[in-house]
Amino acid sequence: MVALGPGLTRPKGAHHVDAQAGMLLPGLHDHHVHLLSSAASLRSINVGPSEVRSLDDLRRVLREARAVRDGVWIRAIGYHESVAGPLDRDLLDQLLPSTPLRIQHRSGAMWFLNSLGLERSGLEHEAHPAVERDGQGRATGRLWRGDHMFAVDDGTDVDALGVLSDTAVRRGVTGFTDAMPNQTLAGLETLASAHRDGVIRQHLTLMSPLHVVAMTNSDVQVGPVKVLLDDDDLPEFDDLIQTIADAHLAGRAVAIHCVTELQTVYALSAIKDAGPNGGDRIEHGSVVPVELDALARACEVTVVTQPHFIEERGDEYLRDVPESLRDVLYRARTLLEAGIPLAGGTDAPFGSSDPWVAIAAATRRATRSGAVIGPLERLTPTRAIDLFTGDARQPGHRRRIEVGSRADLCLLSLNTEAALESLSSENVRATIIAGRVAFER
Ligand SMILES: [Zn+2]
């Protein structure tokens, strides 16, 4: 940011956004998201007989998918004639004319394409026998055993990443920390090149195992070393300490997946023995008993939580989690009061990808059925927003809007008072990433 304040002169040619007294926030950072898994979940829709029962059903499902994917390929799988009889381009054009579409038959042997799909894939004019043609030589939209002919659109994953990025931009998100466990070099390269090519417009920080670091010329940040713990298969305690020490030696923090009390105790004890480096993270922190607060503080960890799980999964928790643990489920306010930094991540696709859903949930602590879990853990709207305004490396530290800081901003259409009353991504008016207007309405 170059200058801040009233009465500034606008440089010639500068883009002008009239904020109209709307609330201005640091751009939101999603501190825990799985981009490739989210992309894969967008990539295909299931139109098999168990999901879709009629032609009307098929039309509805395809149009819903179009609403999310907006102009990019729709790839559907699992189709069977019992749904709506045999398909061809004319029928598919009636269902979905303006989005390229391909539907795979459940047998895997056939694809059905609409006209735009035929055109985009180049199959319209392809003389290969796999492309079925009618008496006049017009492609019918049926492709028989022709999977290999889609080589060109195997970039669908990249399209899906673009959709994720665009959707997040509209919600004010200017940065992601990808938390993929067991990330591979290929996965890192895919994300880094999507970032370099401008498909992912947000700043990117990528977690990975200790020895998996992408060598790219993209300006993505190397994130913490992701460590998964599993109650039934915990690593040797000394091995965990060694992993943490090695990560620190390599200049990286650790981000340890902790969804049970046992995992939290194990992780914190190991960090303590390895020696804290100030940037280590407890992912989820689903169960952090109060007795562990002193240890967590000594370990200088940040807890990266998902407040919307209370809303999305709370009714299951009430059924499955022993009563004695309910008050320490996804703690928030009492962690902050104990001096433990707290930040938020959507954990998409396993939770809603909209950080505003998480923000609103953090203030309510209500399940879908309306039950409240841990009312003492409710955050004020301001504190809840701050879960997503932290620094990528120090997620619990709110970034400041000040001269010299990177111009990553989220402008709301409401003034502060109104915006804090109505926490929703619908209020995002403009998103600015590194000084460029990435979204405006
Ligand atoms: Zn996760």
Side-chain angles (χ1 to χ4, degrees):
M1 216 134 15
V2 180
L4 200 63
L8 301 174
T9 39
R10 197 191 315 168
K12 246 200 161 67
H15 190 115
H16 178 240
V17 179
D18 183 356
Q20 295 170 343
M23 188 180 191
L24 185 65
L25 298 167
L28 304 188
H29 189 100
D30 187 343
H31 293 285
H32 183 125
V33 60
H34 301 268
L35 293 169
L36 292 174
S37 309
S38 296
S41 76
L42 277 188
R43 210 174 88 169
S44 304
I45 54 172
N46 195 334
V47 294
S50 55
E51 336 290 322
V52 173
R53 291 193 177 77
S54 65
L55 194 62
D56 280 345
D57 245 10
L58 181 60
R59 179 186 293 115
R60 178 183 54 76
V61 167
L62 293 174
R63 295 198 171 178
E64 279 170 13
R66 179 185 59 187
V68 179
R69 295 179 51 84
D70 214 18
V72 294
W73 273 96
I74 290 178
R75 182 183 194 275
I77 54 175
Y79 184 79
H80 188 263
E81 294 83 349
S82 61
V83 172
L87 301 177
D88 61 25
R89 72 187 286 175
D90 295 324
L91 183 57
L92 294 182
D93 284 350
Q94 284 171 31
L95 300 184
L96 198 74
S98 57
T99 302
L101 166 68
R102 62 192 249 219
I103 298 179
Q104 189 180 41
H105 188 267
R106 190 167 72 182
S107 65
M110 192 169 328
W111 284 96
F112 309 102
L113 293 89
N114 67 356
S115 293
L116 202 55
L118 284 166
E119 188 190 303
R120 290 276 179 91
S121 59
L123 295 176
E124 178 85 273
H125 305 290
E126 170 65 58
H128 196 281
V131 182
E132 184 185 276
R133 294 185 180 276
D134 65 15
Q136 279 74 50
R138 177 175 179 260
T140 61
R142 297 199 191 111
L143 180 71
W144 179 249
R145 297 222 179 271
D147 277 87
H148 58 284
M149 301 179 74
F150 286 120
V152 283
D153 92 69
D154 272 344
T156 323
D157 258 344
V158 174
D159 287 344
L161 288 171
V163 172
L164 294 178
S165 175
D166 288 347
T167 306
V169 161
R170 302 173 74 87
R171 294 166 172 165
V173 176
T174 60
F176 290 123
T177 295
D178 188 83
M180 172 91 148
N182 307 316
Q183 180 63 283
T184 62
L185 201 55
L188 291 176
E189 299 285 2
T190 299
L191 292 172
S193 68
H195 184 259
R196 189 176 52 234
D197 298 343
V199 173
I200 297 176
R201 294 190 278 160
Q202 286 82 359
H203 303 291
L204 265 193
T205 299
L206 303 179
M207 293 187 194
S208 63
L210 183 56
H211 299 293
V212 182
V213 179
M215 307 292 283
T216 69
N217 57 3
S218 165
D219 61 348
V220 300
Q221 278 193 37
V222 177
V225 171
K226 178 84 189 266
V227 179
L228 266 188
L229 295 181
D230 186 345
D231 278 6
D232 300 325
D233 189 22
L234 289 171
E236 290 296 325
F237 189 61
D238 286 343
D239 291 347
L240 182 57
I241 295 172
Q242 195 59 52
T243 301
I244 298 167
D246 289 346
H248 291 176
L249 209 60
R252 300 174 68 186
V254 290
I256 308 182
H257 167 99
C258 296
V259 296
T260 64
E261 181 175 0
L262 175 63
Q263 291 163 13
T264 312
V265 171
Y266 210 68
L268 289 174
S269 307
I271 292 172
K272 179 164 172 276
D273 284 9
N277 87 339
D280 295 326
R281 308 171 27 151
I282 298 297
E283 304 303 303
H284 313 300
S286 320
V287 184
V288 183
V290 178
E291 304 78 64
L292 290 177
D293 286 359
L295 179 59
R297 213 167 31 238
C299 288
E300 302 169 19
V301 292
T302 299
V303 173
V304 178
T305 185
Q306 285 77 41
H308 48 310
F309 282 178
I310 293 290
E311 180 177 315
E312 293 168 4
R313 305 177 182 181
D315 291 317
E316 289 157 46
Y317 296 154
L318 287 175
R319 216 176 40 229
D320 304 337
V321 175
E323 215 171 325
S324 58
L325 289 179
R326 280 185 205 157
D327 285 343
V328 294
L329 274 178
Y330 290 95
R331 287 171 61 205
R333 200 185 102 191
T334 59
L335 282 178
L336 286 167
E337 285 174 352
I340 298 160
L342 187 70
T346 63
D347 205 14
F350 311 110
S352 165
S353 61
D354 184 348
W356 292 95
V357 167
I359 290 166
T363 67
R364 287 197 302 258
R365 304 277 307 183
T367 71
R368 287 209 199 285
S369 74
V372 172
I373 297 179
L376 289 177
E377 301 295 345
R378 283 185 181 130
L379 297 181
T380 63
T382 309
R383 281 296 326 160
I385 290 172
D386 282 350
L387 295 176
F388 290 90
T389 57
D391 186 84
R393 282 174 186 272
Q394 293 288 336
H397 291 232
R398 186 183 203 268
R399 300 182 337 270
R400 301 178 64 90
I401 299 174
E402 61 191 4
V403 172
S405 70
R406 193 167 61 195
D408 296 329
L409 300 167
C410 168
L411 173 68
L412 303 180
S413 56
L414 304 174
N415 66 27
T416 302
E417 196 187 348
L420 296 180
E421 292 244 315
S422 137
L423 300 165
S424 160
S425 55
E426 287 181 8
N427 302 331
V428 175
R429 248 276 327 272
T431 304
I432 294 156
I433 302 178
R436 287 172 180 272
V437 178
F439 164 69
E440 188 178 4
R441 70 171 144 213

